[in-house]
Amino acid sequence: MITGDGLLTAQTIAKKIGIGDCACSSESLNEPNWTDGKGCEVYAEVLPEVKYKLVQKYQQAGLTVGMTGDGVK
């Protein structure tokens, strides 16, 4: 799950819907040893342009990506 919501909100929602509760802030995406999210089930506080880049990366890896929320057309 990738969201612009705060870390605590993201963890709570992810846990309730069964995604998991291992959440990382968007700052972790800037770490030099970031390896495609291994260890993170949820990314919180992510800006829209960064969400777009992550979705592209996951799609290029052959994964199916779903999206909902504000701005979905």
Side-chain angles (χ1 to χ4, degrees):
M1 182 171 97
I2 305 167
T3 181
D5 290 332
L7 191 59
L8 184 57
T9 300
Q11 285 175 314
T12 301
I13 292 170
K15 190 172 185 176
K16 281 188 175 189
I17 62 174
I19 291 177
D21 58 1
C22 181
C24 300
S25 72
S26 62
E27 293 171 356
S28 67
L29 299 170
N30 296 324
E31 294 176 4
N33 60 349
W34 184 73
T35 55
D36 295 334
K38 291 182 180 160
C40 289
E41 298 161 319
V42 177
Y43 288 101
E45 303 167 353
V46 181
L47 296 173
E49 57 271 17
V50 178
K51 288 180 198 176
Y52 181 72
K53 288 179 184 177
L54 285 171
V55 166
Q56 284 183 316
K57 187 172 197 148
Y58 288 127
Q59 287 175 327
Q60 289 169 356
L63 299 172
T64 301
V65 178
M67 187 170 175
T68 187
D70 310 2
V72 174
K73 297 178 183 181

